[in-house]
Amino acid sequence: MTDNTTAPASSGNAQIDDIAMGYAFDGAALEFGAAVVDNTAYPSAKVRIPLAVLNRHGLVAGATGTGKTKTLQLMAEQLSAAGVPTFLADIKGDISGIASPGASNDKIAARAKDIGEEWTATAYPTEFYSLGGLGNGIPIRATITSFGPTLLSKVLGLNDTQESSLGLVFHYADSKGLSLLDLKDLRAVIQYLASDEGKADLKNLGGLSSSTAGVILRELITFSDQGADVFFGEPEFDTADLLRTSADGRGIVSCLELPAVQDKPALFSTFLMWLLADLFHDLPEVGDLDKPKLVFFFDEAHLLFDGASKDFQTAIEQTVRLIRSKGVGIFFVTQSPKDVPTDVLAQLSNRVQHALRAFTPDDAKALKAAVSTYPKSGYDLESLLTSLGIGEAVITVLSETGAPTPVAWTRMRAPQSLMAPSTDDTIKGIISASPLNAKYSTAVDRESAYEMLNARLNAAPAPDPTAAPPASAAPAPQPRAQKEQPGMVEQVIRSSAFKSMLRSAGTVVGREITRSIFGTASRRR
């Protein structure tokens, strides 16, 4: 991280001089590397991004093997040095090296000389997390009630009607004080509402068709059989723990290890969205700061949007748009800009684009679309983006005044931490020494909906076999034959009363079902 308070000297190359002036910021900034023209790097033209604009969000894109992961590592290092905490999702397990000092070699020395940078091996303060304790890391769990019906529906692959039904189940549990802490709690509530004992509650709630309940239950059972039980429960992770700094003032790098759940892409991508939604819910409005409170790198971003409903995408768009005022910057990381919906992409002002491939007609179309999102430049971007070397990127960011900087072909700095996984001993030592280990390591199963409903059923009086049968009532008149009517949930969600209820934030039901942008509930601390 550097401060630049003087204009760069002229290089005699007009394009390089324009780039140097465009990135000559007055305030603190992260350095990406040096600008390149005609395959020559110019150390006088430093390409950087102001700390103050990191809450305007960004995109790091590029084909596999082009250097995206090292770009994340490079940015996280400098953010940590500036006192800014970061969150990184480590899909492949190769970002853990940030906790260990790097090892110099001829390539690193040559890169540093080429771009006019000094390189010093440095380790950075790191916490390692894992989803539910699968893998090396402090367990991150969420309660079902906090996760909410919207995100859970995305994980389970429910349709709109089933999602609405699930929302009513959550409302019922909230209103009856039935704590939904884990999957067995949610299953117990649905089974109760669909049973004879729950008919009266169903009538007051608005109804839940047995077919819809059956679908949701089957999905929950399948989800549980895949090992998802460990991801939900207590102690629930407090996202405020992502905002910490170390004793020497550096920002802590929170590294979520995900190799153990690579086969559950919908789960880990939605869990990342839950973390963002929880941050959004809890953090106060702070406006634009000199530096962000947290920078959140959302890796494999396409997994979040695959199969997402329009309403779900709208919720993501709202979160991205509004969370910047709470001091949080988000960088979506994916292979191609086309992986991110247009309305979300439009909010990502800072672009770091590594090489793209154009092997198929779809690739060629995506390449043209990517080129169209950049300001005019002196480069042939369509050709350049397919020929960038490893550790090179095309960059444009927002300046301190909010204007886009010149497009810069950039030869990136090498990370100063280890560009390989840290050893298991290093990771285990960091985990065991963490003050969060005792807080989250042991799962807790306190009384919740499952136990409450079982106690209620066990306390119900058994029928007396010696009692006389009740007098038979006159048979009710049979209704005329008619076409099958839509389920009660469908009728409820189409009704004007239900729509009015959702619009009314002043009603209890409105608060419970809408909750927040994603339907997540506030943590009861």
Side-chain angles (χ1 to χ4, degrees):
M1 187 193 74
T2 62
D3 291 320
N4 187 66
T5 55
T6 58
S10 173
S11 68
N13 183 307
Q15 185 178 1
I16 284 295
D17 289 344
D18 287 343
I19 291 173
M21 289 298 297
Y23 290 87
F25 310 127
D26 293 331
L30 309 185
E31 290 202 1
F32 288 116
V36 177
V37 171
D38 295 330
N39 210 33
T40 299
Y42 289 80
S44 61
K46 302 294 186 187
V47 179
R48 46 171 68 92
I49 181 171
L51 277 177
V53 305
L54 283 167
N55 69 331
R56 308 298 176 89
H57 311 318
L59 176 74
V60 178
T64 300
T66 56
K68 296 191 304 294
T69 299
K70 301 313 168 196
T71 294
L72 307 189
Q73 192 170 342
L74 173 66
M75 294 178 69
E77 288 179 352
Q78 295 181 72
L79 285 163
S80 176
V84 178
T86 58
F87 175 91
L88 295 164
D90 192 1
I91 305 292
K92 300 170 186 174
D94 51 6
I95 303 180
S96 62
I98 199 166
S100 304
S104 184
N105 56 42
D106 291 343
K107 289 184 178 180
I108 289 176
R111 175 63 62 97
K113 181 179 179 181
D114 187 32
I115 64 175
E117 296 283 356
E118 294 183 0
W119 187 91
T120 305
T122 310
Y124 295 85
T126 307
E127 290 279 16
F128 291 101
Y129 299 98
S130 62
L131 284 187
L134 289 184
N136 282 331
I138 296 164
I140 287 183
R141 304 180 188 89
T143 61
I144 289 290
T145 194
S146 174
F147 205 72
T150 303
L151 293 175
L152 189 58
S153 295
K154 172 65 167 64
V155 174
L156 297 177
L158 303 183
N159 63 29
D160 290 345
T161 299
Q162 293 157 358
E163 181 180 334
S164 299
S165 300
L166 190 59
L168 290 174
V169 173
F170 271 71
H171 161 60
Y172 171 79
D174 285 338
S175 64
K176 297 298 182 181
L178 297 171
S179 301
L180 300 179
L181 303 182
D182 50 31
L183 288 175
K184 74 177 186 297
D185 290 325
L186 182 56
R187 293 200 305 268
V189 172
I190 297 174
Q191 288 168 339
Y192 173 77
L193 288 173
S195 70
D196 291 339
E197 291 83 359
K199 283 182 178 178
D201 288 337
L202 272 177
K203 186 175 181 180
N204 293 330
L205 179 62
L208 177 67
S209 71
S210 58
S211 61
T212 300
V215 170
I216 297 174
L217 279 172
R218 284 194 298 273
E219 293 297 335
L220 286 171
I221 290 169
T222 301
F223 192 41
S224 180
D225 288 344
Q226 292 172 349
D229 286 315
V230 298
F231 307 124
F232 297 98
E234 291 184 316
E236 182 174 69
F237 185 71
D238 185 351
T239 48
D241 287 327
L242 299 178
L243 306 177
R244 297 178 302 128
T245 56
S246 63
D248 60 4
R250 292 185 295 171
I252 290 178
V253 180
S254 296
C255 185
L256 177 61
E257 294 275 282
L258 292 172
V261 292
Q262 284 190 78
D263 59 338
K264 301 176 179 66
L267 175 66
F268 68 67
S269 64
T270 310
F271 238 98
L272 297 186
M273 201 66 237
W274 171 75
L275 290 173
L276 274 180
D278 198 67
L279 283 164
F280 173 80
H281 190 279
D282 288 354
L283 290 176
E285 296 279 341
V286 294
D288 290 327
L289 304 172
D290 291 337
K291 62 182 181 181
K293 287 185 173 182
L294 174 74
V295 176
F296 195 103
F297 293 97
F298 206 123
D299 204 359
E300 300 291 344
H302 67 282
L303 297 171
L304 182 66
F305 302 107
D306 284 351
S309 67
K310 182 175 177 57
D311 289 342
F312 190 84
Q313 289 193 18
T314 299
I316 296 172
E317 179 190 346
Q318 287 180 294
T319 303
V320 172
R321 183 174 68 251
L322 298 175
I323 203 170
R324 57 160 287 200
S325 65
K326 302 197 172 191
V328 176
I330 306 169
F331 276 77
F332 288 98
V333 186
T334 188
Q335 292 198 12
S336 170
K338 71 179 178 63
D339 296 333
V340 181
T342 302
D343 290 341
V344 177
L345 189 63
Q347 300 182 57
L348 310 182
S349 304
N350 304 304
R351 305 286 182 88
V352 180
Q353 179 67 64
H354 292 272
L356 289 171
R357 306 296 182 228
F359 299 139
T360 68
D362 284 345
D363 291 340
K365 185 177 179 180
L367 175 61
K368 288 182 180 294
V371 170
S372 69
T373 64
Y374 280 88
K376 291 183 178 179
S377 72
Y379 300 108
D380 178 358
L381 287 180
E382 194 165 335
S383 173
L384 177 58
L385 286 174
T386 59
S387 59
L388 289 170
I390 296 173
E392 294 183 342
V394 170
I395 294 176
T396 181
V397 301
L398 289 183
S399 69
E400 292 166 313
T401 62
T405 57
V407 176
W409 172 7
T410 307
R411 193 156 290 158
M412 308 291 283
R413 294 177 56 175
Q416 298 186 123
S417 55
L418 186 64
M419 289 192 284
S422 290
T423 65
D424 285 345
D425 287 345
T426 297
I427 295 173
K428 289 176 181 177
I430 290 172
I431 294 168
S432 63
S434 170
L436 301 182
N437 193 35
K439 183 178 179 181
Y440 295 116
S441 61
T442 304
V444 176
D445 187 12
R446 64 183 173 91
E447 184 183 61
S448 50
Y450 176 81
E451 290 80 11
M452 291 173 167
L453 289 173
N454 277 334
R456 184 183 302 178
L457 293 174
N458 292 334
D464 185 356
T466 64
S472 60
Q478 295 297 315
R480 290 177 295 175
Q482 56 183 351
K483 294 181 180 178
E484 184 178 356
Q485 296 298 312
M488 287 299 295
V489 169
E490 288 90 334
Q491 296 179 44
V492 170
I493 64 176
R494 292 174 187 171
S495 69
S496 59
F498 183 79
K499 293 176 181 177
S500 175
M501 175 192 69
L502 287 179
R503 287 194 296 268
S504 175
T507 66
V508 173
V509 176
R511 283 196 305 271
E512 296 297 350
I513 291 183
T514 57
R515 294 183 176 203
S516 69
I517 289 177
F518 275 99
T520 54
S522 60
R523 183 182 293 106
R524 294 179 176 86
R525 296 196 180 99

